[in-house]
Amino acid sequence: MKENILEKNNWNVKNCPVRNVLDRFGDKWSILIIMVLGERERMRFNELNKEIHDISQKMLTVTLRTLEADGLVKRTVYPEVPPRVEYEITDLGRSLVPYINSLAAWANVNIKEIQESRERYGVTI
Amino acid sequence: MKENILEKNNWNVKNCPVRNVLDRFGDKWSILIIMVLGERERMRFNELNKEIHDISQKMLTVTLRTLEADGLVKRTVYPEVPPRVEYEITDLGRSLVPYINSLAAWANVNIKEIQESRERYGVTI
DNA sequence: TTAGTTGCTTACTTTTAGTATGCAAATATT
DNA sequence: AATATTTGCATACTAAAAGTAAGCAACTAA
């Protein structure tokens, strides 16, 4: 029924890198974890969990494993008891950090204006 | 029971701009909408919906209203029938676009390596 | 003997996002 | 004159993502 030129030409679906990157990093925690790992060399699981204190253990595990699969984070298990697992950023992951930091800098500058706008808009959000 | 130095010193909670920006733009659609509005001057609701063809109308509405509240997008309603509503990026929103585009450029370069890594990691994700 | 340690996993609940339908009110079509 | 179409939503409902709480292994310290 619906003929869509954009769909026919296969736009914005598989060959859109923006789409792809947002599908990967558009989750709630990936970017924050990359930032934290980008500034500290190696971190253990619980260190990360303290630094990002409002992440749940479950989501920290899940997100770290996804980042590992993506090749952005390296995971090293030391067969000790109690267990020790260290996480570090890879070269690929590190290459992303400056871009995230730039975004964070923008946020730093503009967050006040955003918050004021939101207050002006009303309490309904 | 739990004494946490980081929590005591109020780290990473309210005064962390990274946290703040991720809380705002870490949703599924905000950044993509800003990108699209950043490259086209004014767009109607259905134009946006076609450009980002896999967003639901509901989430497009919700996200646009949030971006409006944040002062990143301006919404103009023309009292016609059928209704016409146009969206455009604000100066504040536009100032964010280059950073997002840089991120997208990074994605463009590295998405292949990420995908390969993911394939190597296994089918389990 | 019991408690503490670490990095998880698993079952369950809550929050967020997606689907489907309906609506107003004018114009276009039959 | 009756019906269909158009646009930008709202709303009720379902699915997916994230949060919560509990437990576990297996060794050490009290």
Side-chain angles (χ1 to χ4, degrees):
Chain A
M1 292 300 179
K2 281 180 182 174
E3 290 296 337
N4 189 326
I5 296 161
L6 297 173
E7 273 182 337
K8 271 192 169 176
N9 293 28
N10 202 32
W11 261 45
N12 286 331
V13 188
K14 291 292 172 192
N15 51 356
C16 175
V18 181
R19 216 50 248 282
N20 277 322
V21 77
L22 287 176
D23 282 351
R24 280 172 198 285
F25 304 119
D27 67 333
K28 203 167 176 182
W29 299 111
S30 291
I31 288 179
L32 192 56
I33 290 176
I34 288 170
M35 280 201 73
V36 170
L37 284 176
E39 57 190 17
R40 320 244 167 138
E41 278 309 310
R42 289 170 143 252
M43 290 182 82
R44 298 183 63 175
F45 184 87
N46 279 342
E47 280 185 276
L48 274 164
N49 209 161
K50 277 170 197 154
E51 182 73 28
I52 309 169
H53 83 287
D54 50 350
I55 195 175
S56 62
Q57 281 193 326
K58 177 190 157 189
M59 288 315 297
L60 184 53
T61 303
V62 168
T63 309
L64 283 169
R65 293 294 166 84
T66 307
L67 291 172
E68 189 196 5
D70 286 347
L72 298 162
V73 163
K74 190 185 171 202
R75 179 171 179 265
T76 311
V77 182
Y78 297 90
E80 303 172 0
V81 172
R84 178 159 63 102
V85 182
E86 287 188 349
Y87 295 91
E88 63 189 307
I89 202 162
T90 62
D91 289 342
L92 180 60
R94 191 172 297 285
S95 72
L96 174 59
V97 172
Y99 299 98
I100 299 179
N101 281 335
S102 298
L103 208 66
W106 180 91
N108 215 345
V109 171
N110 296 102
I111 197 75
K112 192 174 285 182
E113 188 173 343
I114 291 176
Q115 281 169 342
E116 286 168 3
S117 172
R118 180 163 284 214
E119 278 161 31
R120 250 179 281 120
Y121 193 83
V123 270
T124 28
I125 295 180
Chain B
M1 291 303 179
K2 282 180 184 175
E3 288 297 338
N4 188 327
I5 296 161
L6 296 172
E7 273 182 337
K8 270 192 169 176
N9 292 27
N10 201 33
W11 261 45
N12 287 330
V13 189
K14 291 292 174 193
N15 50 357
C16 174
V18 181
R19 218 47 248 282
N20 277 321
V21 77
L22 287 176
D23 282 350
R24 281 174 196 284
F25 305 117
D27 66 335
K28 202 167 173 180
W29 299 110
S30 291
I31 287 179
L32 192 57
I33 290 175
I34 289 170
M35 279 201 74
V36 170
L37 285 176
E39 60 189 15
R40 320 245 167 138
E41 276 310 311
R42 287 170 143 252
M43 292 182 83
R44 298 183 62 174
F45 184 86
N46 279 342
E47 281 185 276
L48 274 164
N49 210 162
K50 277 170 199 155
E51 182 74 28
I52 309 170
H53 82 287
D54 50 349
I55 194 175
S56 62
Q57 282 191 327
K58 178 189 159 191
M59 287 316 297
L60 184 54
T61 303
V62 168
T63 309
L64 283 168
R65 294 295 167 82
T66 307
L67 291 172
E68 189 196 5
D70 286 347
L72 298 162
V73 162
K74 191 184 171 202
R75 180 172 179 266
T76 311
V77 182
Y78 298 90
E80 303 172 359
V81 172
R84 179 160 63 101
V85 182
E86 287 187 350
Y87 295 91
E88 62 190 308
I89 202 162
T90 63
D91 289 342
L92 179 60
R94 191 171 297 285
S95 72
L96 175 59
V97 171
Y99 299 98
I100 298 180
N101 281 335
S102 299
L103 208 66
W106 180 91
N108 216 345
V109 171
N110 296 104
I111 197 76
K112 191 173 287 181
E113 187 173 344
I114 291 175
Q115 281 168 341
E116 287 167 2
S117 171
R118 179 163 287 213
E119 279 161 30
R120 248 180 281 119
Y121 194 84
V123 270
T124 29
I125 294 180

